[in-house]
Amino acid sequence: MNPHDSPRGLSFAIGAYLIWGLMPLYLYTLRDIPAGEVVAHRVLWSLPIALIVLRQNGQLETVAATLRRPRLVAMAGLTAVLITVNWLTYVWAVTHGQTVEAALGYYINPLFSIFLGWALLGERLSRPQLAAISLAVLAVVLLTTAAGGLPVVALTLTVTWGVYAYCKRRLPLPPNEGFTVEVLLLFVPAAGYLLWLEWTGAGHFGRSASESLLLVGTGVITAVPLMLYANGAKLLRLSTIAVLQYLAPTMVFLIAVAIFHEPFAGVRLVAFPLIWAALVLYTATLIRRPARVG
């Protein structure tokens, strides 16, 4: 992590968050296609993009070496499963009128990451961080009580992405190579599933030119922001990333309410401000933390 912000890193990170923030508009055009099929296409069309980027940067040998190490393959297999569940949940949420809850999940995620650091790494929590986690828990309790059940979409997105990020930190691979190994491991089951759908007549690819192009485009909206973020994060301060990470869920939230006209009333009017207050506390702890050089 750099002690100073690079303009190049800033452009990479903002580009990634803008794509993630606008993604619901893209996915909504695929609302008539099952989430599993959309995710399979995300995997299928992400792979050639990832391989082209690695070839351009001379990084293919790292991927080949990783595939010869069973322990690393097993670790990448775990992260591949986690990101698949995350993608499935997110696509389903956007295409089934649950985009507000999806935004909630990504708002909660930084606070869940703090909790993971405490639970799994023995990191100490400051008082502002404890207060932030407490506010987030209170918000979830309020939503659960009002709905008569847990906000499953939000919590699934929070847990899968949080654990995914934790496991990725422990996977000794650069970000681009790690992502490529993940989609390589997912490629065979994804391609097999899509072939089965076409064989049974249930697949949507090829039915219309526009729909097919949109499905191919899922590879672009999947691989490009992940790689932009991975390269941008290395050139930015932690405090900068802490502020920028709220850009995507805020855009998702605004799209859900202003464009999709999903309900934002009742207990959500209390729960969301609690989450936002928690994020202010959390971000303040990062901004005040002195940057480490080296």
Side-chain angles (χ1 to χ4, degrees), residues 110 114 129 238-243 245-246 280-291:
I114 299 174
Q129 289 175 331
L238 183 61
S239 58
T240 303
I241 294 173
V243 174
Q245 68 182 324
Y246 307 129
V280 169
L281 285 172
Y282 159 74
T283 306
T285 65
L286 294 180
I287 292 176
R288 291 172 184 169
R289 185 181 302 168

Side-chain angles (χ1 to χ4, degrees), residues 26 41 45-46 49 205 211-221:
Y26 192 100
H41 278 284
W45 303 110
S46 291
I49 296 172
F205 190 77
E211 203 168 60
S212 298
L213 284 173
L214 285 169
L215 287 171
V216 172
T218 59
V220 177
I221 65 169

Side-chain angles (χ1 to χ4, degrees), residues 86-140:
N86 184 273
W87 287 348
L88 279 169
T89 305
Y90 188 68
V91 173
W92 183 91
V94 171
T95 56
H96 286 76
Q98 300 293 319
T99 312
V100 168
E101 193 170 329
L104 175 65
Y106 287 116
Y107 274 132
I108 297 174
N109 182 68
L111 305 173
F112 180 70
S113 294
I114 299 174
F115 170 78
L116 283 181
W118 169 77
L120 301 179
L121 301 177
E123 296 178 356
R124 297 182 63 181
L125 297 179
S126 65
R127 288 183 179 179
Q129 289 175 331
L130 283 170
I133 292 174
S134 299
L135 287 173
V137 170
L138 177 59
V140 172

Side-chain angles (χ1 to χ4, degrees), residues 267-293:
V267 72
R268 285 182 172 180
L269 292 174
V270 178
F272 269 77
L274 284 174
I275 294 294
W276 292 331
L279 293 175
V280 169
L281 285 172
Y282 159 74
T283 306
T285 65
L286 294 180
I287 292 176
R288 291 172 184 169
R289 185 181 302 168
R292 290 182 300 175
V293 180

Side-chain angles (χ1 to χ4, degrees), residues 209-261:
S210 59
E211 203 168 60
S212 298
L213 284 173
L214 285 169
L215 287 171
V216 172
T218 59
V220 177
I221 65 169
T222 298
V224 170
L226 280 170
M227 291 185 163
L228 283 174
Y229 173 79
N231 289 280
K234 294 184 295 186
L235 303 172
L236 295 175
R237 293 174 297 165
L238 183 61
S239 58
T240 303
I241 294 173
V243 174
L244 289 177
Q245 68 182 324
Y246 307 129
L247 179 60
T250 299
M251 292 175 66
V252 171
F253 170 77
L254 292 174
I255 287 170
V257 175
I259 299 178
F260 297 166
H261 303 294

Side-chain angles (χ1 to χ4, degrees), residues 27-70:
L27 294 176
Y28 192 74
T29 65
L30 299 169
R31 61 190 178 277
D32 295 327
I33 302 177
E37 187 174 355
V38 174
V39 170
H41 278 284
R42 291 185 74 170
V43 172
L44 188 73
W45 303 110
S46 291
L47 183 58
I49 296 172
L51 291 175
I52 289 170
V53 170
L54 292 191
R55 181 178 174 82
Q56 291 277 351
N57 296 330
Q59 299 167 322
L60 283 175
E61 180 53 39
T62 303
V63 173
T66 299
L67 294 175
R68 294 192 291 266
R69 300 176 62 183

